[in-house]
Amino acid sequence: MTDSTHTGGCQCGAVRFRVKGPLGDASVCHCRMCQKAAGNFYLPLVSVRSAKLTWTRGAPKRFQSSNFVKRGFCGDCGTPLTFEAPDGVALAIAAFDKPQGIVPKMQWGIEAKVPYVDHIPNLPGEDTMADQDSASFLARLVSYQHPDHDTTEWPPKERG
Ligand SMILES: [Zn+2]
C-alpha cells in the first residue's frame, strides 16, 4: 500500500507514534469488542505489521480484551490507539495525523453491525460553522487538542 513515514497520536498529545514502511490492510471492524474499544459504531484499523512502529512520545496503556489481543489507548485522554494480536499490531486510522489517505478496503465483524450505521450517510449534514446558535460559543472556543503534526512545543506554555 503506502510506503513512507506516517505520524500520529492521541488527542492530548501524551502519546505519539511514527510508522516507517508500508502500511498493510486498512479495514473497519464492527465486532462488539471493537465497538466498545472505540466507544463508537465500528473501529477503523490499519495493519503496521510490515512496518516499523516507534512510540516517539509516551506509550499506550493496554487493556487485554481477550487471551490473544491487547488494545492500547492513551492513559491520559483515552484515545484508542492499537489492536495488538499475535500476528501483529494495527493502529486506529483516525489517530494518524493524516487519516485521509488510509482508505479502508474491508469490513469485519458485520454480524454485529449496528443496524443504523448504513443510514448515517443519508442523514442531513451541516458544517460546524453553519450552526448559528453555537456561533458565539465557537468563536470563544480554544482547542487543547494536539496538532496533527509532531511538535516540541507541546503542551503550549500558556496552558501549563
Ligand atoms: Zn492522550
Side-chain angles (χ1 to χ4, degrees), residues 17 22 34 38 40 51 65 68 79 81 83 94 96 103 106 121 127 130 133 151 154 157:
F17 61 80
C34 279
N40 213 319
S65 59
F68 288 131
T79 301
L81 294 167
F83 173 91
F96 281 75
V103 184
M106 179 73 194
D127 284 346
D133 293 340
T151 175
W154 193 261
K157 284 196 175 58

Side-chain angles (χ1 to χ4, degrees), residues 24 47 66 74 84 93 96 115 120 123 126 131 152 154 156-157:
S47 170
S66 71
C74 174
E84 304 177 24
I93 294 174
F96 281 75
I120 290 174
L123 297 175
E126 191 173 82
D131 182 358
T152 54
W154 193 261
K157 284 196 175 58

Side-chain angles (χ1 to χ4, degrees), residues 18 25 28-29 31 47 68 82 86 89 98 124-125 127-128 132 142:
R18 181 188 308 126
D25 295 334
V28 305
C29 185
C31 87
S47 170
F68 288 131
T82 71
V89 174
K98 296 189 175 81
D127 284 346
T128 303
Q132 291 302 315
V142 178

Side-chain angles (χ1 to χ4, degrees), residues 10-15 74-79:
C10 67
Q11 186 172 26
C12 80
V15 181
C74 174
D76 289 344
C77 73
T79 301

Side-chain angles (χ1 to χ4, degrees), residues 95-149:
F96 281 75
D97 291 333
K98 296 189 175 81
Q100 301 87 342
I102 307 170
V103 184
K105 297 286 201 309
M106 179 73 194
Q107 302 181 78
W108 301 104
I110 57 171
E111 73 285 347
K113 187 191 283 189
V114 179
Y116 50 78
V117 161
D118 290 337
H119 304 294
I120 290 174
N122 302 322
L123 297 175
E126 191 173 82
D127 284 346
T128 303
M129 298 312 286
D131 182 358
Q132 291 302 315
D133 293 340
S134 300
S136 68
F137 164 78
L138 290 169
R140 289 179 286 116
L141 184 138
V142 178
S143 172
Y144 294 157
Q145 178 166 294
H146 189 280
D148 278 331
H149 55 80

Side-chain angles (χ1 to χ4, degrees), residues 1-7 17-26 45-53 89-91 93 96 98-99 101-103:
M1 208 184 193
T2 320
D3 192 350
S4 57
T5 299
H6 299 264
T7 58
F17 61 80
R18 181 188 308 126
V19 180
K20 270 187 131 131
L23 298 179
D25 295 334
L45 290 167
V46 62
S47 170
V48 296
R49 74 172 66 121
S50 304
K52 182 172 166 34
L53 168 64
V89 174
L91 294 178
I93 294 174
F96 281 75
K98 296 189 175 81
I102 307 170
V103 184

